[in-house]
Each structure stands twice: as structure tokens, then as C-alpha cells.
Amino acid sequence: MPNVNLSHRAVPRDPEMLVEEIKRLKAERGALLLAHYYQDGDIQDLADFVGDSLELARAAQRSQARVIAFCGVRFMAEVAKILNPEAEVLIPSLEAGCSLEDSCQPDDFRRWREAHPGAVAVTYINCSAGVKALSDVIVTSSSAEKIIRQLPDDQPILFAPDRHLGAYLRRVTGRDLILWPGACVVHEQFSLEALAGLKLEHPEALLAAHPECPEGLLARADFVGSTSAILRFVTESPRDEFLIATEPGIIHQMEKKAPGKRFIPVPGGSGECACNVCPFMRKNTLVNLFECLRDGQPRLDMPEDLRLAALKPLERMLEMAAV
Ligand code: 13P
Ligand code: SF4
């Protein structure tokens, strides 16, 4: 972090001033602000780039900025650090975890690999650097199918940690993946009952879903894809109404890119809670973004041997996704 003392600045109470101050701090730090689609709309609007996990990884890798302020979850900021060690990587909240990452601890993952000698470990990017370091190739929801199709037909494949994405990949590739039993707390619980009601109310609406959703929901979907792919689908489709079965933060971009269309979030759980909102992604706020740019922390650091070990399967992903 360059030697700038910004610590005396108090958090502005006025929301517009807060936004202006974040812009000023960002410029003073020379920071590139990257944001995932599941961030609050006001954070997305401040970002230099908004994207899905693969696009954010690529943006972090090619960045020349001395600071990357990463508004997403911790594993995404870790990926930025692994791919761009020269940059200081800041994240507004270190508590921005992920239920998939939590479900798969490195020691358990190592034992699982050892129990399947000869299998290649294809691991979803939603995991810790420790698990990445033990994997052969990393995938994102937008690159997984393409990467799995490049593996030899007779190669046994372990897929961790998302069992729903894994089951989806089994169906589309016809490969017999051995699955880790993890799940996303958000995508696992979309209410099929509420969805049925919405389909009755909006018979013309198309259902777009993220592949982290269970099979029962994906079977009803008109389109399945990563956050960026869903965004492209709804913008390019000639239809006007869509039911969205992924985190509703993405609706902000949908409304910006296709203002005349209607996007209806599929509710979670009983249909009465806000459990379709990712509790981890929403740990980042304008206030802690201001504070992190002001204070130069929380900062993502990791031991160099871990970074180098996690870099290999990530580089393999970037190569195989580009083919
Ligand atoms: P995408 O790569 O599709 O943006 O997915 C990230 C994620 O965490 C989905 O829950
Ligand atoms: Fe993890 Fe699910 Fe949140 Fe994505 S939406 S970050 S998979 S908990």
C-alpha cells in the first residue's frame, strides 16, 4: 500500500457523500474495484468491472493497478491475490465466506483424494486456497463443462465441493463424476412451491437458473448458466419477463441492461424469508468498503508456497477455458 495517511477521515453519514468519498479514496489508492453480480447495486455501480467468477479472475490477473479492492467473497479475493501477487488485494469484509468453501476443509479433501487414487480432482473455484492447492484443475460455473469435456474419456473424475453443480455436469457431459457432498445455502433452497405459483401468475415468463440449484429446479428451467450467461440470456432473449433463480443482486445489472423487461426473483425457503440473498456476499457494504479503502485493510495475504501451489490448477483452468 502506498504511504498515504487517510485514517483521519470519518465515515460520511450522507449516502451521496459516502459514494463520493469512496470514489476519492479509490483514486488516491490507485485501486481497481472489482465486484461480483451478487453485491448490492450501489457497490456494483462504483466498480470498474462487474463479472462472474471467471471474468473476475481474468480481470484481476490482467490488472496493472497497485491495489485491487475486491467486492465479492473471500475465495474470489484469494484468487485475485494468487493470480496477481504484485497487487495489494483488499476486501471490505473478511467474513465474506461461502458455504461451499466451509463444507470442504483441506484435510478432509486430502483424505478424499487419497481414497480415489488415479482420479483427477476437478474443483469448483468456490473453495479455499488450501483446497485449490490440492486440486488438479479449477473450474467455474461458466467453464466447468468445457474443461471436463477436455479430459480423457477413461479418466475418473472427482468433483468438489458443489454436489448440485456436479450432478448438473454429470447430466450435460455424460461423465460419471464422483461428488463431494457440499451445497450453496442460497441456491439449494429456492422454493419449488413459490416457483409454481409464479409460473401460474406469469405464464409467459422464462425461468433462468444457476447450476448450483438442485436438479428439481433445473429441470423446470428454460436456461441454465453462470451469472454472466444468465445476464446475456435475458438481455438477448426476445421475451420480456423472466423468473430469476439465482442471487437477486444480479437483477440490478439486468434492469440496467434491459430496462424495459421484467425480472422476478424466485423466493427462497418458505417464500417469506430473504434467504435467496447470499449472507456472505452482503457482508460487504458501502461503509466497510469506505473503511477498507481508507485503512488499507482487511488485506488478503497468503504464504508464498500456498499461493504457488494454488496457482497451478488456476492457470490450468485459464488455459483450458480459453481453448
Ligand atoms: P458465477 O461464477 O456464476 O458468478 O458464480 C459465483 C457464485 O458464487 C454463485 O453462487
Ligand atoms: Fe457461496 Fe452460494 Fe454465496 Fe455463491 S451464493 S458465494 S456459492 S454461499
Side-chain angles (χ1 to χ4, degrees):
M1 181 68 54
N3 194 14
V4 236
N5 183 5
L6 306 165
S7 56
H8 58 281
R9 290 191 194 166
V11 181
R13 283 167 190 253
D14 175 64
E16 280 176 28
M17 264 180 68
L18 181 55
V19 166
E20 288 314 307
E21 281 299 301
I22 290 171
K23 286 183 188 162
R24 188 128 61 102
L25 285 172
K26 187 166 105 52
E28 284 171 15
R29 290 283 186 205
L32 176 82
L33 207 165
L34 298 179
H36 189 264
Y37 292 119
Y38 297 166
Q39 294 294 281
D40 288 334
D42 45 13
I43 293 183
Q44 294 186 40
D45 288 344
L46 278 164
D48 297 294
F49 180 79
V50 187
D52 71 7
S53 309
L54 181 63
E55 293 162 343
L56 288 167
R58 286 180 172 142
Q61 188 189 39
R62 66 174 176 257
S63 171
Q64 304 281 319
R66 53 182 187 244
V67 175
I68 295 175
F70 206 112
C71 293
V73 286
R74 205 177 44 232
F75 77 79
M76 295 177 175
E78 269 184 0
V79 167
K81 185 67 191 174
I82 295 166
L83 292 172
N84 190 340
E86 301 301 313
E88 301 226 27
V89 177
L90 306 178
I91 180 166
S93 171
L94 277 175
E95 289 174 20
C98 171
S99 65
L100 285 168
E101 174 179 347
D102 293 344
S103 78
C104 189
Q105 298 302 314
D107 284 345
D108 300 330
F109 183 79
R110 182 186 286 108
R111 281 191 283 276
W112 191 56
R113 282 218 68 172
E114 285 166 2
H116 298 88
V120 62
V122 176
T123 306
Y124 192 29
I125 198 164
N126 296 38
C127 66
S128 63
V131 167
K132 287 186 177 75
L134 296 166
S135 302
D136 294 307
V137 58
I138 302 303
V139 298
T140 63
S141 56
S142 58
S143 60
E145 181 181 343
K146 188 178 196 182
I147 289 174
I148 288 172
R149 287 191 191 281
Q150 292 173 54
L151 299 175
D153 285 344
D154 57 351
Q155 173 79 67
I157 303 172
L158 294 174
F159 186 82
D162 187 348
R163 69 175 187 275
H164 298 303
L165 174 61
Y168 169 75
L169 291 167
R170 259 188 194 156
R171 293 194 293 280
V172 294
T173 64
R175 298 297 296 264
D176 185 19
L177 310 184
I178 304 161
L179 304 182
W180 183 272
C184 160
V185 279
V186 175
H187 290 86
E188 192 170 51
Q189 50 67 58
F190 283 114
S191 163
L192 288 182
E193 208 182 318
L195 173 64
L198 284 175
K199 282 202 155 202
L200 281 177
E201 271 174 59
H202 307 274
E204 296 300 316
L206 298 182
L207 173 63
H210 195 279
E212 288 175 11
C213 294
E215 183 176 0
L217 191 135
L218 295 182
R220 293 163 171 77
D222 299 288
F223 180 80
V224 178
S226 77
T227 48
S228 280
I230 292 178
L231 186 57
R232 262 194 314 277
F233 169 72
V234 301
T235 345
E236 289 169 9
S237 166
R239 301 282 277 273
D240 289 332
E241 241 186 348
F242 301 88
L243 306 177
I244 305 301
T246 190
E247 217 270 6
I250 195 170
I251 292 179
H252 181 68
Q253 291 297 326
M254 293 175 175
E255 288 173 341
K256 281 175 92 169
K257 289 195 190 316
K261 298 191 180 186
R262 182 151 184 223
F263 306 105
I264 303 148
V266 177
S270 62
E272 280 152 25
C273 62
C275 34
N276 58 357
V277 173
C278 175
F280 304 104
M281 286 277 181
R282 304 308 177 105
K283 292 279 180 198
N284 298 327
T285 63
L286 284 183
V287 169
N288 59 21
L289 173 58
F290 170 91
E291 289 169 340
C292 113
L293 284 167
R294 181 192 63 190
D295 303 340
Q297 56 175 317
R299 199 175 70 183
L300 246 292
D301 287 310
M302 79 180 65
E304 186 61 4
D305 55 346
L306 174 61
R307 188 189 76 77
L308 289 173
L311 178 64
K312 267 196 223 163
L314 272 170
E315 284 184 332
R316 208 163 284 142
M317 167 185 84
L318 294 172
E319 277 162 31
M320 292 174 86
V323 170

